[in-house]
Amino acid sequence: MLAWSEIENVLLDMDGTLLDLHFDNEFWRELVPARYAQLHGMSVEEAKAHLYPVFRAAEGTMNWYCLDYWSEQLQLDIALLKREIEHLIAVHPHTVDFLDALRAAGKRVLLVTNAHPKSLALKMERTRLEGHFDVVVSAHHYGRPKEDRRFWQGLRGDHRFDPEQTLLVDDSLPVLRSARAYGIAHLLAVLRPDSRGPVRDVAEFRAIESFADIMPTGPVTGRPGGVDPSA
């Protein structure tokens, strides 16, 4: 599926790509409405009817990914609430093997996530994945989500890479569209971000069921570092 000899930089999303999105779906769809209902003396269904449109309105913006924003808006300690179900944080199958294979193949690996730093810290603590990356980046550093072209400009400015030699794997179609518009050449979607959810229709992008589908084998490095020659 991939011409690994043409890829030097691998940008990997976290939630839904490396990690099972079931944790996040359970948190926002069930736990937050339940605690909001308790706080306001309403039923869980009433809380969901109120919150779901509010959540949808924020999707794709920096606020959607900001735990501090939601803590203020909902009067709930969102970071603390995540601890209540942290046992649901799980790594997708074949992820660690894939990361090890990338390292063995000499690829530069960047974790590039919209997740808030508090959420990122919790998930790295729980999964112990941080040591597998050359760079870990939260979009909050730039104040722009990955859906915004300016995120990619900021990322490239700080961590020089050639878009033509770069692969992005992400479960978000808006993010993949943004990366495509920016010029990142190799793009892959994820068919089942939530292990308990259905396979999605991602026809406009090539997609993987798991990282076993694209495992690099052997030393397939090209130019060292994958640095953008025009940067």
Side-chain angles (χ1 to χ4, degrees), residues 43-222:
S43 72
V44 174
E45 290 308 312
E46 287 173 331
K48 289 180 178 180
H50 170 70
L51 290 175
Y52 284 5
V54 174
F55 293 159
R56 283 194 295 270
E59 286 179 1
T61 71
M62 208 70 253
N63 283 341
W64 169 237
Y65 303 103
C66 183
L67 303 194
D68 296 332
Y69 172 81
W70 290 115
S71 292
E72 180 180 347
Q73 292 295 309
L74 305 180
Q75 295 301 296
L76 295 168
D77 189 334
I78 297 298
L80 184 61
L81 273 184
K82 283 180 177 276
R83 292 279 182 182
E84 289 192 23
I85 59 168
E86 64 178 301
H87 61 281
L88 295 180
I89 296 171
V91 180
H92 272 311
H94 307 293
T95 292
V96 174
D97 289 342
F98 179 67
L99 293 173
D100 287 342
L102 291 176
R103 179 63 55 88
K107 303 307 178 185
R108 184 173 175 233
V109 184
L110 293 79
L111 175 62
V112 182
T113 177
N114 278 332
H116 188 275
K118 293 177 183 176
S119 183
L120 175 59
L122 171 63
K123 289 174 178 177
M124 290 299 99
E125 172 192 323
R126 187 79 186 182
T127 64
R128 314 257 176 165
L129 286 181
E130 188 165 5
H132 290 275
F133 309 107
D134 297 295
V135 177
V136 175
V137 176
S138 167
H140 289 258
H141 174 73
Y142 299 104
R144 310 281 182 187
K146 292 185 292 180
E147 291 89 337
D148 189 320
R149 177 187 176 91
R150 288 167 290 185
F151 167 83
W152 303 107
Q153 293 171 338
L155 181 70
R156 188 177 178 187
D158 287 345
H159 306 286
R160 296 173 60 200
F161 64 89
D162 183 350
E164 289 293 325
Q165 293 183 303
T166 297
L167 164 68
L168 170 67
V169 187
D170 204 297
D171 70 305
S172 167
L173 299 185
V175 168
L176 289 166
R177 292 176 189 129
S178 171
R180 180 174 61 192
Y182 183 70
I184 293 178
H186 306 275
L187 302 166
L188 287 175
V190 177
L191 287 171
R192 197 189 300 268
D194 183 333
S195 64
R196 304 188 194 188
V199 170
R200 302 180 307 153
D201 178 8
V202 292
E204 67 183 282
F205 294 101
R206 292 186 296 170
I208 58 171
E209 183 85 34
S210 81
F211 285 113
D213 297 340
I214 55 168
M215 200 73 68
T217 57
V220 290
T221 57

Side-chain angles (χ1 to χ4, degrees), residues 23-48:
F23 167 82
D24 299 276
N25 286 340
E26 185 72 12
F27 181 79
W28 291 105
R29 294 175 184 175
E30 303 297 334
L31 183 60
V32 170
R35 294 293 179 268
Y36 188 84
Q38 290 174 353
L39 181 64
H40 293 280
M42 61 176 66
S43 72
V44 174
E45 290 308 312
E46 287 173 331
K48 289 180 178 180

